[in-house]
Amino acid sequence: DFALNPFDKAKGALIIIEAKKQAEQLKEPHFRQLREYFLNVPTAQFGILTNGLEWNFYAGDGGNDKLHPTPFFTFNVMDYSDSEVENLAKFHTAIIDPKALFEDAQDIFELAKFDESLFQELSDPSYAFIKQIVNRMGYARSTPQREEYVRKHLNHFSIKDASDRMLAESSNAASSGIVTTAEELQAYRTIRTLILASSRNFANLGDRISYRDLKNQFSILFDNSQRNPICTLDLNSSTKKLWIGKGNSPETIETIDDIVQYKSNIIDAVKGYIGD
């Protein structure tokens, strides 16, 4: 096991590492052991649990346990992407910024809390949420019958319909009168998911990815700008085509699932716009 401080060893450890044998699978008891070490080192801000192949990076949560139980970054030395190497590089002694790393970790934890809270609210809606929908339906008074009606109709079908409508209405006014097909929406969701799930840094880019449906093409855009195309698709012709980024030749696809093959190219296109 290790205690590290890349700045000044005399000031106490910044990172606590719990190391296990390569053959061992990392489990909850190992995390508890790391947490115990962390609790006894007041200067520690990060904890790492590893068996040499898998590396789980944890950050303090400010609570009684001090160490958040969910890793904010994981790295497998036998299976990794370019974006994961970029994240790992943030721990290099020459550039490590503990404050920035801690803020990144907190953003990831908050996003997870938001996703879980939204899921719980939609899965088991509170009385306040039900009452608000009744009010938006135009009723000045909420009754048990009206509340039951809302509960009955608030399901994954109605939520998906509302989500699709929000996506359609957020597209540029130039698409007015054009029907966005289910296949185009599926392509948008697939590409958006590929981007957001590609790395911790990209997980918070959801608001910067949108689509625009024009007469002859369907575009997924970065920052809602036609100058920043992530992908452009033609799904209405006999041969489906996919353009990635700017000025590239089209790729021919048979189904929306084929888009996954071009994940790395799509991620590279997004990286180019972030760097601009």
Side-chain angles (χ1 to χ4, degrees):
D1 300 332
F2 303 87
L4 308 176
N5 190 323
F7 304 112
D8 187 347
K9 295 179 181 179
K11 292 185 178 180
L14 177 69
I15 303 172
I16 303 296
I17 302 178
E18 171 67 17
K20 295 301 178 183
K21 295 179 180 179
Q22 182 176 318
E24 286 190 72
Q25 289 188 338
L26 302 179
K27 297 181 178 179
E28 176 61 23
H30 302 146
F31 169 77
R32 291 200 298 266
Q33 189 174 0
L34 172 65
R35 187 178 63 191
E36 287 299 318
Y37 291 144
F38 192 89
L39 283 168
N40 288 283
V41 182
T43 58
Q45 296 182 36
F46 302 96
I48 299 176
L49 178 61
T50 181
N51 58 8
L53 297 179
E54 298 178 41
W55 294 72
N56 294 334
F57 292 74
Y58 300 85
D61 68 356
N64 293 330
D65 288 340
K66 294 287 184 70
L67 200 62
H68 198 284
T70 303
F72 69 94
F73 174 54
T74 61
F75 189 86
N76 188 319
V77 298
M78 302 299 292
D79 182 16
Y80 56 84
S81 65
D82 291 343
S83 60
E84 288 171 332
V85 172
E86 292 176 7
N87 286 331
L88 183 64
K90 293 180 180 180
F91 287 86
H92 193 286
T93 54
I95 62 172
I96 188 171
D97 183 344
K99 182 179 179 181
L101 284 171
F102 185 80
E103 290 175 350
D104 286 348
Q106 298 310 306
D107 286 343
I108 292 168
F109 299 149
E110 288 299 312
L111 179 61
K113 289 179 182 178
F114 169 79
D115 287 344
E116 180 61 23
S117 298
L118 181 61
F119 171 78
Q120 290 179 1
E121 183 65 44
L122 295 177
S123 300
D124 185 17
S126 62
Y127 171 73
F129 186 72
I130 295 293
K131 185 177 179 180
Q132 184 62 34
I133 294 181
V134 172
N135 290 339
R136 285 186 177 274
M137 291 171 67
Y139 297 111
R141 187 170 63 90
S142 180
T143 65
Q145 292 79 12
R146 290 168 181 167
E147 292 164 11
E148 180 59 29
Y149 178 88
V150 172
R151 286 188 182 277
K152 180 179 178 181
H153 288 82
L154 190 62
N155 51 48
H156 67 279
F157 295 110
S158 59
I159 293 170
K160 182 179 182 300
D161 287 344
S163 176
D164 289 348
R165 182 178 174 185
M166 289 173 65
L167 290 173
E169 291 184 355
S170 68
S171 62
N172 191 274
S175 64
S176 179
I178 298 174
V179 177
T180 302
T181 67
E183 192 174 37
E184 288 170 335
L185 288 173
Q186 182 187 353
Y188 168 73
R189 289 193 291 266
T190 298
I191 291 168
R192 187 175 185 272
T193 300
L194 287 176
I195 295 169
L196 299 186
S198 65
S199 72
R200 305 289 185 182
N201 288 344
F202 280 26
N204 61 352
L205 294 181
D207 291 340
R208 302 182 70 180
I209 302 170
S210 61
Y211 70 79
R212 190 174 300 178
D213 196 354
L214 302 177
K215 183 175 294 185
N216 297 318
Q217 63 183 30
F218 181 79
S219 299
I220 290 89
L221 307 175
F222 192 75
D223 284 344
N224 199 32
S225 172
Q226 199 70 37
R227 293 177 298 177
N228 299 336
I230 300 172
C231 293
T232 303
L233 301 102
D234 179 2
L235 302 177
N236 298 318
S237 302
S238 57
T239 301
K240 296 180 174 62
K241 293 182 180 180
L242 166 71
W243 291 261
I244 301 173
K246 301 177 183 177
N248 293 319
S249 301
E251 305 288 347
T252 300
I253 58 175
E254 294 184 6
T255 67
I256 299 303
D257 291 339
D258 292 343
I259 294 174
V260 177
Q261 303 175 36
Y262 304 98
K263 174 182 176 180
S264 61
N265 304 82
I266 293 171
I267 300 304
D268 287 342
V270 175
K271 288 179 181 178
Y273 301 136
I274 294 176
D276 287 346

